[in-house]
Amino acid sequence: MMMTVKNIVYTLGLAGLLSVTGCSKFVDINTDPNNPTEAELPLLLPATEVSLVANMYQMNSGASTFVQHVVFSGALSRYQQQGTTFDDSWTGFYSQTLNDLEAIITKGTAEQQWGYVAIAKLEKAYLVSLMVDMWGDIPYSQTQQGQANTSPAFEDGQEIYEKVLTMIDEAIADAGKTNAGPMVPATSDLIYAGSKSSWLAMANSLKLKLYNTIRLVDPARSANAIRTLIADPATLIGGTSNSNTLDFTFKFGSGQNPNNRHPWHRVDYQGGKTFYMSQSLIDLLFNNDDPRLRYYIVRQNATAGLNNSTNSNGYYGRNPGDGTATPADLNRRATFGIYPAGGLYDNAPINNLPGTNIFLTNTGATSTPKVVSVADGTGAGIMPMITNAMVKFIRAEAALTLNTGDDARQAFRDGITAHLTEVSTYAAANGGIPLTAGAISSFADAQLLQYDAADANGKLNLVMTQKYIASFGNGMEAYTDFRRTGLPALRPLLSPLNSFPMRLYYSETELTANTSVAGNASQLQIAQQTTPVFWDK
């Protein structure tokens, strides 16, 4: 039940919301943070959904680099952060997204527009919890006060999590005050078209995610909360039928003027390139007969390889922590495929495939690699925030670690099936070749053979590895998972500059301007690299 931006771009005036400034900043949102309440709720709500995802670009790309999904920058690949690395995301969230969400909550409450209030609270709960996951302690209660407080205090992340959980329950109660049918007009909600049942599924799934994230803090509390949530699986994303229709996913458009395409497509489907594909992820998929390799990554050259060689299989990426200079390789390096960035599906023969492969084969592979351009693919990619597959893997993890009584084996299989179905369905609708139902089922069964043969630790490793692969496109989720579980093991860096970052660096602008941290800014920033978030025990 997702709507693309292109469907309402003109009626909402979103053209001004989707404009790139260089390769480090996805959008500039034309909202006035000093006068957000002047906007009408039907216009303000979709603007928050756009800015929510738009401002993730820098943060998501960086987190994706830390977990070796991609290489966004050489410095981040070597674990070296700066105060400007995530400045755009931090500033955008506070000056745009959170500011406008607070305006909706205030105005909607005053006007008893409870549908808008409920959705805004759920958006805010998701975003604030994500910011805690990424940065740890952040300004919260004293923000969105304009000139009344320009230096909001940083608050303890664990205390903020408690407020977020309360906010979710408030949103569920607010949704209960609305009439049957859409909570808001369909055109005012880009994600779920106002569907109450969809937003309630998102609310319960977000709670599931958060309680699993904090399971090391209070295992008994998390176990009890998760048992309550899974007691009625119909209230979660995925429901009882393992359907992906209620995925909390933002869908980009295919337009170029204004350009509302997926940000990864926008920066790499052109002459210049920002990213390298991670050789670690390439090898994981290639060596494990995983058909998603053709969907995630597309080759521009059939024989290019690591270090710009000319006798490999075309999967030319970059090893994590490679500190060497960038060669002249823009037309040779592999880049984003059809999923989730809306690029090309790679249907060219692959050199050196093992003859024992069942799923990643050259059967029907008739294309030829090509240098990609803005005309290739649609760019109508997606941002997967909370999906059916994620929910199933969370349930499997919780069952294995908290004894929730859930069927971890079935949840593991359902998560794999859900994700391959999601990738296949998306590809079929965007010029790619879908996987057959039989291939999806057989791949899941093959993973179950490994699962059944593994001990308890091995089972958890398999669950987290499959979730890691399924989280491609949302490196923030994988970054949180890795810090909590240490799984799957990441490839050692070739030339590290720092230790693995336990949190993101704060915005240098924030630390400079916020007088509440005056005199302590430098120590605060340095500690981000080595200080775990509260749930990382």
Side-chain angles (χ1 to χ4, degrees):
M1 299 186 65
M2 299 175 293
M3 298 179 62
T4 62
V5 176
K6 64 181 180 181
N7 290 336
I8 62 169
V9 66
Y10 297 111
T11 58
L12 290 180
L14 293 182
L17 305 183
L18 292 160
S19 58
V20 166
T21 302
C23 62
S24 65
K25 188 173 184 180
F26 174 33
V27 295
D28 289 317
I29 311 295
N30 292 332
T31 56
D32 181 356
N34 296 317
N35 298 289
T37 56
E38 293 181 2
E40 294 299 320
L41 296 180
L43 301 180
L44 198 54
L45 181 61
T48 65
E49 294 171 339
V50 171
S51 70
L52 169 69
V53 177
N55 288 316
M56 286 180 185
Y57 168 66
Q58 198 179 55
M59 179 174 72
N60 182 43
S61 298
S64 295
T65 300
F66 291 152
V67 296
Q68 302 178 8
H69 277 172
V70 300
V71 178
F72 179 48
S73 80
L76 290 179
S77 178
R78 302 171 75 188
Y79 300 156
Q80 185 70 26
Q81 306 184 71
Q82 296 181 350
T84 56
T85 303
F86 301 105
D87 186 77
D88 288 345
S89 289
W90 177 279
T91 302
F93 288 145
Y94 278 113
S95 67
Q96 298 164 357
T97 316
L98 288 172
N99 196 71
D100 288 348
L101 287 171
E102 193 62 33
I104 293 172
I105 293 169
T106 300
K107 183 178 179 68
T109 299
E111 298 177 358
Q112 298 188 22
Q113 296 285 336
W114 300 115
Y116 287 100
V117 174
I119 293 173
K121 285 182 177 179
L122 291 175
E123 274 191 78
K124 183 177 179 179
Y126 174 77
L127 175 54
V128 170
S129 66
L130 184 64
M131 293 176 71
V132 172
D133 292 342
M134 297 297 104
W135 282 289
D137 301 345
I138 60 172
Y140 177 63
S141 298
Q142 297 177 7
T143 61
Q144 284 76 61
Q145 295 179 359
Q147 294 301 312
N149 188 347
T150 58
S151 294
F154 284 64
E155 298 176 43
D156 180 74
Q158 186 167 1
E159 295 178 2
I160 295 174
Y161 244 60
E162 294 302 317
K163 295 175 181 178
V164 165
L165 288 166
T166 299
M167 189 188 309
I168 297 171
D169 288 334
E170 290 175 355
I172 292 173
D174 290 333
K177 301 173 186 177
T178 63
N179 297 323
M183 291 197 295
V184 300
T187 53
S188 295
D189 176 12
L190 303 179
I191 298 175
Y192 285 133
S195 168
K196 181 190 295 188
S197 60
S198 299
W199 277 107
L200 290 176
M202 177 272 185
N204 288 316
S205 300
L206 177 56
K207 289 173 70 174
L208 178 76
K209 167 181 154 66
L210 299 184
Y211 278 115
N212 184 62
T213 299
I214 63 174
R215 64 175 174 79
L216 298 176
V217 177
D218 189 343
R221 179 193 181 196
S222 287
N224 288 333
I226 291 172
R227 288 189 192 107
T228 299
L229 289 164
I230 64 175
D232 188 1
T235 63
L236 298 169
I237 291 173
T240 57
S241 60
N242 204 32
S243 168
N244 297 330
T245 57
L246 298 186
D247 283 1
F248 182 52
T249 299
F250 186 89
K251 195 170 186 179
F252 293 89
S254 59
Q256 296 186 56
N257 186 25
N259 196 333
N260 55 18
R261 295 184 172 195
H262 191 290
W264 286 355
H265 184 280
R266 296 172 69 180
V267 297
D268 265 34
Y269 273 64
Q270 57 178 337
K273 300 282 186 292
T274 297
F275 290 83
Y276 277 98
M277 299 299 98
S278 171
Q279 200 66 42
S280 177
L281 179 65
I282 289 172
D283 293 346
L284 176 65
L285 298 174
F286 184 91
N287 294 332
N288 287 279
D289 191 15
D290 195 315
R292 284 170 286 195
L293 181 59
R294 289 190 179 275
Y295 298 84
Y296 286 7
I297 298 168
V298 65
R299 294 162 295 154
Q300 296 191 106
N301 181 288
T303 59
L306 193 63
N307 299 322
N308 212 16
S309 69
T310 60
N311 59 352
S312 188
N313 58 13
Y315 286 105
Y316 168 25
R318 200 165 180 99
N319 267 314
D322 186 343
T324 59
T326 301
D329 63 1
L330 293 177
N331 293 342
R332 296 174 57 77
R333 66 175 78 167
T335 188
F336 294 105
I338 193 169
Y339 181 93
L344 294 176
Y345 172 77
D346 191 333
N347 195 40
I350 302 171
N351 299 334
N352 308 317
L353 278 181
T356 55
N357 274 17
I358 298 172
F359 307 104
L360 181 61
T361 71
N362 284 327
T363 301
T366 58
S367 300
T368 301
K370 60 167 294 186
V371 176
V372 302
S373 71
V374 68
D376 292 313
T378 65
I382 63 171
M383 177 64 207
M385 293 179 282
I386 307 176
T387 66
N388 175 31
M390 291 179 191
V391 167
K392 294 303 192 297
F393 290 127
I394 289 170
R395 290 177 61 177
E397 178 191 346
L400 290 171
T401 60
L402 294 173
N403 192 27
T404 58
D406 215 345
D407 187 338
R409 183 180 189 274
Q410 186 62 49
F412 175 61
R413 190 187 196 284
D414 286 347
I416 296 169
T417 301
H419 189 254
L420 265 70
T421 300
E422 174 190 336
V423 171
S424 178
T425 301
Y426 174 85
N430 289 275
I433 298 176
L435 294 164
T436 66
I440 293 174
S441 180
S442 295
F443 183 84
D445 288 340
Q447 299 302 310
L448 280 187
L449 290 176
Q450 299 181 50
Y451 182 91
D452 292 339
D455 61 14
N457 290 333
K459 285 178 168 58
L460 182 60
N461 182 50
L462 286 166
V463 168
M464 299 313 300
T465 298
Q466 284 300 313
K467 189 183 180 196
Y468 168 84
I469 294 170
S471 296
F472 184 66
N474 184 340
M476 303 167 294
E477 185 77 9
Y479 180 46
T480 293
D481 286 342
F482 179 77
R483 286 174 292 162
R484 185 180 65 255
T485 68
L487 299 171
L490 299 177
R491 180 170 291 183
L493 301 193
L494 292 183
S495 179
L497 292 172
N498 213 326
S499 59
F500 184 85
M502 306 310 293
R503 309 184 189 198
L504 304 187
Y505 264 26
Y506 289 121
S507 160
E508 185 176 286
T509 303
E510 178 72 35
L511 296 185
T512 301
N514 192 321
T515 58
S516 73
V517 294
N520 193 39
S522 178
Q523 297 92 322
L524 190 67
Q525 190 77 294
I526 293 172
Q528 288 296 100
Q529 191 82 18
T530 57
T531 306
V533 179
F534 78 93
W535 40 252
D536 181 10
K537 299 294 185 181

